[in-house]
Amino acid sequence: MAGEKTVDTTGLLGWIDKRFPLTSMVKEHMSEYYAPKNFNFWYFFGSLAMLVLVIQIVTGIFLVMNYKPDAKLAFESVEYIMREVPWGWLIRYMHSTGASMFFVVVYLHMLRGLFYGSYRKPRELVWIFGVAIFLSLMGEAFFGYLLPWGQMSYWGAQVIVNLFSAIPFIGPELAIWIRGDYVVSDATLNRFFAFHVIAIPLVLIGLVVAHIIALHEVGSNNPDGVEIKQGPKDRYGRPMDGIPFHPYYSVHDLVGVAGFLIVFAAIIFFGPEMGGYFLEYNNFIPADPLKTPPHIAPVWYFTPFYSMLRATTADFTWVLAGAAVLAAIVLFIKGNLKGVWRIAVPVILLLVAVLLRTIDAKFWGVVAMGGAVVILFFLPWLDHSPVKSIRYRPTWHKYLYAIFIVNFLVLGYLGTQAPNPTFNLMSQIGTVIYLAFFLVMPVWSRIGTFKQVPDRVTFHAH
Amino acid sequence: MSQITTQLDDSGAVDPNLPPDPSRRTWVASACAVGGVAGVATAVPFVASFAPSEKARAAGAPVEVEVASIAPGEMRTVEWRGKPVWIMHRTTAQLAGLKDNDPLLADPNSDRPGFTPEYAKNEYRSRKPELFVCVGICTHLGCSPTPAFATGPQPGLPADWEGGFFCPCHGSTFDLAGRVFSNKPAPDNLEVPPYTFSADGTHITIGVDENTKA
Amino acid sequence: MIKKLLGTIALSLTCAIAFAAEGGYKLEHAPNRINDMASLQNGAKLFVNYCLGCHSANSMRYNKLTEIGLTDDQIKKNLLFTSDKVGDLMHIAMTPEDAKKWFGAAPPDLSVIARAKSTTMGPSGVDYVYTFLRTFYRDTSKATGWNNLVFPSVGMPNALWQLQGERSLERTTIHSAAQADGSSQWERTVAKYDGQGYSEIKKEVLKDYDGSPVDKAILTPADPRLQATFDNNVADLSNFLGWMAEPMQLQRKEMGVWVLLFLALFLLVAWRLNATYWKHVK
């Protein structure tokens, strides 16, 4: 027939292929998607993140079959799932462990990006979609955590929603609008349920698809930061340093999945509470709007950012203001900003310095915490290193990264502890280190003797 | 900046002219087998979670009813598993009239499977003749029939009506042993639930019999 | 006579528990009897007899006790206190509103109390309950006539007083206290509560004290043998609460062994599969 498409496949598959790009998509994204052959351990975490997303969605669907999103019934419905629904306990533990493991996997996945410069041109958009996924994930976890309606659920939600009340002028009204009530209540629970179960999962799925499409459009990075598409090609025009994703990385990722499932199962079957970090003990007390537990802390994966929020006291705003003024001066004298930006940026920084001392520290705490995440979006433009991968940077850069990682972990630890003067000071120093790592990166990433980046990836035959 | 050097003899990271590797087949097969087991093992808890929970099973627990005080001709209704269960103390006259209905019934001997337990496969469809126990749900599409104990002609009922039940939804009729009349929408006799008498005969427990414990 | 005295001293020494340096009584570790069905059954008996009067366990079904080795009949005959059906939940007749009115605070539901009272990376809720139930002492200054070392001024009277028997408390604290003239001095307070709760409190200022704050409590039972039986019963009850907070924990761990063994096999197969493909990559 005229106009009918010709395909290579026959039978049922051929029928589908004439109407839907099934085989061509499988080829484009799996069997003929050439990925660098030198992926290492750090490259497992992308596929693991996708696995955990699927686990959370499937276990989530089954939990929703028995959970009751009503302030009077929610807590008991969770215990109902744990005791009375056949295998309900397993589904619940998979979901709670999966939530924490999602963050473990995503943090390690992002760390890989940091190490190997996977966010650099032409992969900025892959990174941006990724940070958007991270932000959505934080929201998803936050909304989900209210659902068991325990003491931690309730008071954590109360505190975080109150953060919005710190915004000047519109804050308090905004907080009431978010809650649907004057305090966190049944209204809040119902809307957080809708966000957690439907709204954000849809957003997450969309962003993950965009993330992978953007990646496949430009091709994956690798531990050496060498662009395989710019290297030698074989007789078919395929990169010599590339290897088809399927079957090589499908079987490779299967090993990662097996290892991950061992850790996952060990936690679920032998320590689902993880000492109170994965399932917090205070959350086994039903929510009581009249009584705050003596020690609230957010779940472990939020604690580094929580530290930064708590660190931003009135005194600390002096430090931040001072830093803004210093930056203004340095940029004006030594910076190479073009045209109007030469004046505008220092002026803006001076204005920020003034505002830091005018608006309450409470607001700036929120800004610091939010800023710590938002700054990740700008990473592709902050990194001015001539080489992509940490492998070819000066050794002292590696120490800087190590300091950043240790600092992040310390901030995390501090976030779980009750405040005291020493810890507060440590959090403040930690916040400065975290922010400086990014904000000063345009300067420090250029300094030092860089090693020669090879033309071909370093690969040792198995 | 791209340097495309097409090398005619070299063929990339993997040589496409390699002979097929038999060990691949072994390991793919093993991986599929182990993966299949893993898949089934994972699916089982999820599928099983659909089954009635402890709460549903407790709500469906047996119901004990006191029957000694039901007067002849009187019928009592109790709830078991969300359904109405009728307990009727039939009079001798009503019991005598049961045989007369036999030629008019679709399944006079309760031969059709699924509605009559062994101990009710008799002319009275009950353990003891006077006490009739059945689930008060029409076997057509699930409405609950109305009692029609008065004998003789009445609107919607035949002239020689011996007493029984009339379903208002689609007109099915049942006699006082719950047996369905022929040529009616309902295909089966009213279900006799599992039940047992207490030792002294004053109570029955609906939901328990020789085959069903709880 | 000497034996009894030595026994009393020995037991009172074991009851002498120092408070943690900051924030709360140092909890004792409860003996682990989570796998001991007889212990759990005894705990269940104590629970329905002594606790279920005021505390509900709304997420716990009576027939769940079949998982610790009891039959439906045994449960019906011995343990069915607030209901007549073995499939019912352990509700109680007292509403939380009434409870608040009568006791000042509603006695909490105990379904998951053993998980709620655990501390992050610290003693478990079972340890908490074990220590809590064994540190009640008579105190005439309290409305209930009872006070507690783990939970000072608790609204709960000692429900287990009959099992515990008579006990006296001697509590020594050395702390820095503000004096009338505004300065602060080290002060030692020795509070003695006798078996009926009458207290005798002595304070003295320590002029040359050069140490850290001290808080020591010694509970002395009138009958050490009764005390030992009591401790054993409380251990059973605490473990029962630990079981009740998560009834499937026994099966969960059993299953986990098999799951991990299987996954180890899966890892092996995945690893070899990976190797067969990658050995040709150069």
Side-chain angles (χ1 to χ4, degrees):
Chain A
M1 268 156 271
E4 196 176 293
K5 204 162 124 180
T6 35
V7 293
D8 296 323
T9 47
T10 56
L12 178 62
L13 193 54
W15 185 90
I16 295 175
D17 280 333
K18 289 202 182 110
R19 296 155 176 77
F20 183 87
L22 182 61
T23 302
S24 68
M25 270 171 58
V26 170
K27 279 194 184 167
E28 187 185 334
H29 295 287
M30 299 278 282
S31 52
E32 286 178 17
Y33 174 71
Y34 276 73
K37 62 188 182 187
N38 61 334
F39 281 177
N40 61 13
F41 165 78
W42 291 99
Y43 280 77
F44 280 130
F45 296 105
S47 60
L48 287 181
M50 195 147 74
L51 172 68
V52 178
L53 178 64
V54 169
I55 290 175
Q56 291 305 93
I57 291 176
V58 172
T59 53
I61 289 173
F62 280 81
L63 285 175
V64 171
M65 288 183 196
N66 292 293
Y67 168 78
K68 300 221 184 293
D70 179 314
K72 290 189 287 298
L73 303 171
F75 186 86
E76 236 173 72
S77 74
V78 173
E79 276 307 306
Y80 167 71
I81 290 169
M82 291 291 287
R83 293 153 192 265
E84 316 231 312
V85 174
W87 295 96
W89 60 272
L90 179 62
I91 300 174
R92 194 271 176 108
Y93 282 151
M94 284 175 79
H95 200 77
S96 62
T97 309
S100 282
M101 291 309 288
F102 214 157
F103 281 92
V104 170
V105 162
V106 161
Y107 278 140
L108 291 171
H109 181 67
M110 290 164 80
L111 194 58
R112 178 275 306 270
L114 233 60
F115 282 159
Y116 299 133
S118 311
Y119 48 81
R120 303 257 309 229
K121 181 176 169 166
R123 296 180 185 90
E124 302 96 318
L125 199 53
V126 182
W127 176 261
I128 287 173
F129 282 135
V131 179
I133 292 173
F134 178 57
L135 258 176
S136 305
L137 194 64
M138 289 173 86
E140 177 75 350
F142 167 62
F143 293 129
Y145 200 63
L146 182 61
L147 304 186
W149 205 247
Q151 275 286 63
M152 275 312 207
S153 305
Y154 184 87
W155 292 100
Q158 184 84 311
V159 168
I160 299 296
V161 175
N162 272 331
L163 287 181
F164 287 88
S165 69
I167 300 172
F169 309 114
I170 59 164
E173 279 303 303
L174 183 65
I176 293 177
W177 180 80
I178 292 173
R179 278 186 226 113
D181 204 329
Y182 301 99
V183 287
V184 169
S185 70
D186 187 54
T188 325
L189 177 62
N190 276 286
R191 60 185 59 179
F192 280 18
F193 179 74
F195 294 148
H196 182 77
V197 170
I198 305 176
I200 300 192
L202 289 177
V203 167
L204 273 172
I205 292 173
L207 284 173
V208 168
V209 169
H211 186 63
I212 296 178
I213 291 176
L215 173 70
H216 283 204
E217 188 65 20
V218 296
S220 311
N221 189 28
N222 62 78
D224 288 308
V226 171
E227 289 299 316
I228 63 167
K229 284 186 182 172
Q230 285 159 11
K233 309 255 189 326
D234 69 2
R235 73 184 83 146
Y236 304 102
R238 297 160 182 162
M240 294 266 283
D241 280 336
I243 197 162
F245 186 87
H246 178 70
Y248 294 94
Y249 282 118
S250 359
V251 301
H252 189 250
D253 282 345
L254 199 62
V255 178
V257 165
F260 170 79
L261 287 177
I262 288 177
V263 173
F264 192 56
I267 296 172
I268 287 173
F269 289 96
F270 295 102
E273 294 166 347
M274 276 305 243
Y277 283 116
F278 281 16
L279 277 173
E280 297 184 298
Y281 295 123
N282 268 334
N283 231 23
F284 285 100
I285 307 171
D288 183 354
L290 301 176
K291 187 154 158 239
T292 314
H295 187 45
I296 333 178
V299 195
W300 70 269
Y301 38 78
F302 287 148
T303 50
F305 303 101
Y306 181 63
S307 275
M308 297 186 220
L309 171 77
R310 276 200 307 194
T312 315
T313 55
D315 288 347
F316 192 56
T317 55
W318 279 113
V319 173
L320 292 173
V325 170
L326 188 65
I329 296 173
V330 167
L331 278 171
F332 184 67
I333 298 178
K334 278 207 74 185
N336 48 7
L337 297 162
K338 313 274 190 303
V340 63
W341 295 114
R342 188 107 206 260
I343 313 269
V345 171
V347 167
I348 293 171
L349 281 170
L350 286 172
L351 187 62
V352 167
V354 169
L355 286 172
L356 271 164
R357 292 300 310 152
T358 352
I359 307 180
D360 272 348
K362 180 170 145 191
F363 171 70
W364 292 110
V366 178
V367 170
M369 186 171 87
V373 178
V374 166
I375 198 156
L376 291 169
F377 278 110
F378 299 96
L379 190 54
W381 297 277
L382 291 168
D383 183 356
H384 290 207
S385 155
V387 307
K388 267 201 197 98
S389 163
I390 199 175
R391 282 186 180 174
Y392 303 102
R393 295 199 187 205
T395 315
W396 63 268
H397 278 211
K398 295 188 189 172
Y399 291 134
L400 267 183
Y401 277 88
I403 290 172
F404 176 77
I405 296 166
V406 170
N407 181 54
F408 192 69
L409 294 171
V410 169
L411 277 172
Y413 168 73
L414 292 171
T416 64
Q417 300 302 302
N420 73 49
T422 331
F423 282 172
N424 287 350
L425 182 62
M426 286 170 72
S427 303
Q428 287 164 346
I429 297 173
T431 309
V432 170
I433 294 177
Y434 180 96
L435 293 173
F437 179 83
F438 292 107
L439 291 169
V440 188
M441 196 185 273
V443 176
W444 68 255
S445 59
R446 267 191 289 213
I447 304 174
T449 341
F450 294 83
K451 307 185 179 112
Q452 179 65 33
V453 181
D455 295 322
R456 303 287 302 272
V457 302
T458 47
F459 175 76
H460 307 290
H462 286 48
Chain B
M1 247 217 21
S2 53
Q3 290 179 23
I4 305 167
T5 41
T6 313
Q7 304 188 271
L8 294 167
D9 45 338
D10 208 337
S11 47
V14 186
D15 186 351
N17 297 321
L18 272 177
D21 184 351
S23 73
R24 269 198 195 185
R25 212 169 354 147
T26 328
W27 288 108
V28 171
S30 325
C32 285
V34 176
V37 171
V40 170
T42 312
V44 162
F46 287 93
V47 171
S49 75
F50 268 58
S53 65
E54 283 300 321
K55 179 167 138 194
R57 297 209 282 143
V63 177
E64 203 178 281
V65 191
E66 188 270 323
V67 297
S69 61
I70 307 180
E74 193 189 320
M75 180 178 94
R76 204 172 282 174
T77 309
V78 296
E79 189 186 328
W80 174 71
R81 295 212 168 152
K83 295 179 271 201
V85 174
W86 296 329
I87 306 161
M88 186 181 176
H89 186 157
R90 293 179 286 203
T91 64
T92 1
Q94 286 168 328
L95 289 171
L98 285 176
K99 278 187 298 300
D100 301 338
N101 290 325
D102 283 12
L104 304 166
L105 301 171
D107 182 19
N109 298 319
S110 300
D111 291 322
R112 282 170 66 100
F115 290 84
T116 319
E118 279 314 303
Y119 47 82
K121 277 205 165 81
N122 51 54
E123 58 185 303
Y124 305 113
R125 291 190 84 230
S126 54
R127 287 186 189 269
K128 294 191 186 169
E130 338 62 82
L131 206 72
F132 177 55
V133 182
C134 75
V135 178
I137 292 190
C138 178
T139 53
H140 179 224
L141 290 172
C143 298
S144 188
T146 4
F149 299 155
T151 53
Q154 282 143 86
L157 294 170
D160 52 353
W161 180 248
E162 300 271 5
F165 304 92
F166 170 74
C167 187
C169 289
H170 308 104
S172 300
T173 45
F174 304 83
D175 72 355
L176 288 169
R179 297 178 298 178
V180 67
F181 282 80
S182 322
N183 286 322
K184 296 288 180 185
D188 281 293
N189 300 336
L190 293 175
E191 185 192 339
V192 174
Y195 70 97
T196 22
F197 273 90
S198 60
D200 61 1
T202 57
H203 288 74
I204 56 167
T205 308
I206 304 170
V208 178
D209 68 7
E210 296 81 352
N211 298 322
T212 335
K213 261 339 303 266
Chain C
M1 171 65 192
I2 293 285
K3 247 200 204 155
K4 229 187 189 165
L5 189 64
L6 285 174
T8 314
I9 295 174
L11 253 150
S12 61
L13 283 173
T14 57
C15 289
I17 304 148
F19 284 73
E22 46 162 89
Y25 193 81
K26 188 164 185 310
L27 299 175
E28 267 177 79
H29 188 61
N32 185 348
R33 295 183 187 170
I34 198 70
N35 288 300
D36 181 349
M37 296 293 130
S39 160
L40 293 176
Q41 288 170 17
N42 184 33
K45 183 183 93 184
L46 291 163
F47 178 74
V48 299
N49 276 294
Y50 291 97
C51 313
L52 213 45
C54 297
H55 290 279
S56 58
N58 292 327
S59 296
M60 174 72 177
R61 232 169 257 284
Y62 279 102
N63 61 11
K64 199 108 180 122
L65 293 170
T66 52
E67 290 184 20
I68 52 171
L70 296 166
T71 65
D72 271 359
D73 260 339
Q74 286 171 319
I75 299 169
K76 239 189 276 211
K77 286 203 184 75
N78 300 298
L79 300 171
L80 220 47
F81 276 69
T82 68
S83 183
D84 54 358
K85 287 227 204 111
V86 83
D88 277 350
L89 295 164
M90 290 183 177
H91 292 309
I92 55 169
M94 181 167 67
T95 65
E97 293 75 32
D98 283 340
K100 188 132 193 248
K101 233 187 299 174
W102 300 334
F103 292 103
D109 183 283
L110 295 183
S111 309
V112 287
I113 197 78
R115 293 182 101 165
K117 290 294 186 190
S118 300
T119 358
T120 309
M121 304 305 263
S124 73
V126 176
D127 298 332
Y128 180 93
V129 172
Y130 180 65
T131 319
F132 171 72
L133 290 174
R134 289 160 57 250
T135 50
F136 273 102
Y137 60 94
R138 289 279 285 124
D139 183 349
T140 50
S141 69
K142 296 288 164 203
T144 59
W146 289 96
N147 203 341
N148 185 286
L149 293 172
V150 171
F151 189 158
S153 302
V154 65
M156 169 177 159
N158 187 2
L160 300 169
W161 65 271
Q162 289 162 307
L163 296 175
Q164 178 195 286
E166 195 180 293
R167 232 169 31 174
S168 60
L169 168 73
E170 179 175 315
R171 192 158 173 196
T172 314
T173 52
I174 301 178
H175 58 279
S176 179
Q179 301 299 308
D181 59 0
S183 68
S184 66
Q185 289 267 42
W186 286 106
E187 203 175 79
R188 171 166 48 213
T189 312
V190 178
K192 286 200 178 107
Y193 293 83
D194 69 6
Q196 274 71 47
Y198 292 99
S199 55
E200 188 189 301
I201 303 178
K202 280 205 258 273
K203 282 194 206 235
E204 63 174 294
V205 173
L206 302 171
K207 292 227 171 357
D208 298 307
Y209 187 67
D210 187 29
S212 41
V214 162
D215 199 348
K216 208 167 64 155
I218 303 174
L219 289 158
T220 316
D223 182 352
R225 269 197 319 258
L226 186 65
Q227 181 72 27
T229 322
F230 174 64
D231 282 352
N232 192 47
N233 275 321
V234 175
D236 287 346
L237 178 56
S238 314
N239 274 285
F240 172 74
L241 286 175
W243 173 81
M244 184 168 77
E246 197 201 346
M248 78 299 296
Q249 59 191 284
L250 303 171
Q251 298 102 295
R252 151 167 77 80
K253 291 175 205 166
E254 247 179 88
M255 242 180 259
V257 176
W258 293 108
V259 171
L260 285 181
L261 283 173
F262 174 79
L263 285 174
L265 172 68
F266 183 54
L267 179 65
L268 179 76
V269 171
W271 172 49
R272 293 319 307 154
L273 176 68
N274 183 59
T276 47
Y277 278 86
W278 280 82
K279 67 184 182 213
H280 305 300
V281 176
K282 46 180 163 53

